[in-house]
Amino acid sequence: MIFVTGGAGFIGANFVHSWLRRHDEPLLVLDALTYAGNLENLSDLRGDARLGFERVDICDGAAVRDLLHRHRPRALVHFAAESHVDRSIDGPGDFIRTNVQGTFELLEAARAYHAGLQGPQAAGFRFLHVSTDEVYGSLGPQDPPFQETTAYAPNSPYAASKAASDHLVRAWHHTYGLPVLTTNCSNNYGPYQFPEKLIPLMIHQALAGKPLPVYGDGSNVRDWLYVEDHCLAIDLVLARGEVGRSYNVGGRNEVRNIDLVRQLCALLDTLRPRADGLGYARQIAFVADRPGHDRRYAIDGSRLQRELGWAPRVDFATGLERTVRWYLEHEAWVGHVLSGSYREASLR
């Protein structure tokens, strides 16, 4: 068995689906079901004996220790995090609590559990920490992509909280010998992403006939990766990654925000045309920039490819169309999130 923290969130839920498509090994999802945790993301797995769920806050170290000793997993994959930059600017305290304190509590629980293991169980245990490229800060137009050796320079409360968690994970390995792995990934997109994030937000706003808000001049660049490719990378790092090592996971796909929004508009023009026959791009509206908005992210994933043989499988055009189609086919899911009724979902 493996544990998956934050398994009802966007990337975590996609990982759960990916894992159960590829493995018979069961997993236990640990999720506090804060606003971004949504059990509807796992509803199609209801009744699958390989999937367990515990509603638990990762800051509750005693509860996590109890679950570890009861279920005795061979690995803990840690997705649980507050992750929205705008929210971190408005309320940084939640990010410090979950991303820093929560990771500390998990590490301490895992350290105590690992200390009680022996032989192959001790040697095989892994703590895989899922992080972000935002810990590295911002790149200039001509700067080389982030490498694992790039100095940390976080610019938002969110990025700073994730950087702190990365440092804790590293320290628990070097000080206590906890067998850890870390992945730092670029922007993900795909099914089940909370509608406050750029791609699902633009789809929803477009269909509702509302403005499509683009920060600043729209020239901020992000490296986009289809979420299934990220999940496959994590699966591979868990299976074959070198203990104590970090791995950058990137899409090799740098796109300006304004170009991404225009691509979304073009897809919607084809898949769900406006009733008046006009293009969705006319709804684009530039708005005041986010404070401290990083200009460019780009990931050098050559270590992951060189050492473990991973590379993205889904090209951006294909992944973006899949994503738009998913949201068009799951408008009820979006509606439940926006109304708040998703908070009432269960797996029973």
Side-chain angles (χ1 to χ4, degrees):
M1 166 180 280
I2 66 169
F3 278 14
V4 179
T5 72
F10 164 46
I11 303 176
N14 275 283
F15 178 79
V16 170
H17 283 89
S18 177
W19 181 268
L20 294 179
R21 283 194 296 268
R22 295 164 55 82
H23 304 280
D24 290 328
E25 184 177 15
L27 54 79
L28 181 70
V29 169
L30 282 60
D31 202 299
L33 297 182
T34 59
Y35 81 94
N38 184 353
L39 286 180
E40 288 190 14
N41 296 349
L42 304 174
S43 61
D44 58 328
L45 299 173
R46 188 182 290 116
D48 191 320
R50 297 169 298 168
L51 174 63
F53 174 77
E54 291 283 348
R55 184 169 185 172
V56 62
D57 187 336
I58 60 172
C59 290
D60 187 347
V64 175
R65 285 193 294 274
D66 177 66
L67 290 170
L68 285 168
H69 287 283
R70 275 199 284 134
H71 294 279
R72 305 189 67 78
R74 70 171 182 88
L76 190 157
V77 184
H78 176 33
F79 292 95
E82 296 283 350
S83 66
H84 192 239
V85 175
D86 286 358
R87 285 180 182 262
S88 81
I89 294 170
D90 294 337
D94 289 342
F95 289 72
I96 301 303
R97 180 183 183 276
T98 298
N99 299 353
V100 182
Q101 183 68 27
T103 299
F104 163 74
E105 296 290 352
L106 279 180
L107 287 166
E108 282 291 85
R111 179 164 74 96
Y113 170 67
H114 181 250
L117 300 177
Q118 296 181 344
Q121 286 186 323
F125 180 75
R126 297 290 184 269
F127 183 109
L128 195 159
H129 174 59
V130 181
S131 192
T132 173
D133 58 357
E134 297 196 34
V135 299
Y136 298 122
S138 184
L139 292 170
Q142 305 305 318
D143 290 338
F146 301 129
Q147 297 181 319
E148 290 83 357
T149 54
T150 300
Y152 277 29
N155 290 321
S156 70
Y158 161 62
S161 69
K162 289 299 288 184
S165 69
D166 290 9
H167 292 320
L168 290 175
V169 170
R170 175 184 171 87
W172 260 242
H173 172 64
H174 285 276
T175 302
Y176 303 114
L178 187 67
V180 306
L181 300 154
T182 297
T183 57
N184 294 87
C185 192
S186 59
N187 280 38
N188 279 212
Y189 67 101
Y192 303 113
Q193 191 168 28
F194 202 79
E196 68 186 359
K197 296 299 181 77
L198 179 61
I199 290 176
L201 174 65
M202 293 299 161
I203 295 170
H204 171 70
Q205 293 284 104
L207 296 178
K210 297 179 180 180
L212 307 181
V214 176
Y215 280 131
D217 60 4
S219 64
N220 302 77
V221 174
R222 298 295 181 261
D223 179 6
W224 291 92
L225 178 69
Y226 191 63
V227 66
E228 173 68 11
D229 277 331
H230 185 193
C231 294
L232 295 175
I234 292 169
D235 196 323
L236 187 60
V237 171
L238 182 62
R240 294 173 45 203
E242 180 181 333
V243 168
R245 208 145 171 81
S246 62
Y247 295 90
N248 281 351
V249 188
R252 301 176 182 169
N253 187 64
E254 295 183 50
V255 182
R256 296 191 311 160
N257 286 349
I258 185 60
D259 295 330
L260 170 57
V261 173
R262 287 170 177 153
Q263 288 182 61
L264 286 171
C265 290
L267 279 168
L268 288 170
D269 287 341
T270 299
L271 300 174
R272 184 74 65 81
R274 283 176 36 146
D276 60 10
L278 300 175
Y280 285 100
R282 67 188 292 112
Q283 295 171 223
I284 293 173
F286 293 96
V287 299
D289 208 353
R290 164 195 292 163
H293 198 178
D294 290 339
R295 295 299 290 178
R296 174 177 168 247
Y297 301 147
I299 280 282
D300 179 349
S302 58
R303 170 185 286 181
L304 188 56
Q305 181 170 12
R306 183 175 64 253
E307 297 184 6
L308 301 183
W310 178 89
R313 298 182 180 183
V314 180
D315 66 82
F316 190 57
T318 300
L320 198 62
E321 181 172 346
R322 285 184 191 174
T323 300
V324 172
R325 287 185 181 278
W326 188 90
Y327 283 99
L328 292 177
E329 293 165 2
H330 293 81
E331 290 184 81
W333 179 91
V334 176
H336 294 165
V337 172
L338 295 175
S339 71
S341 65
Y342 74 101
R343 306 296 291 270
E344 303 168 7
S346 79
L347 291 180
R348 292 185 176 85

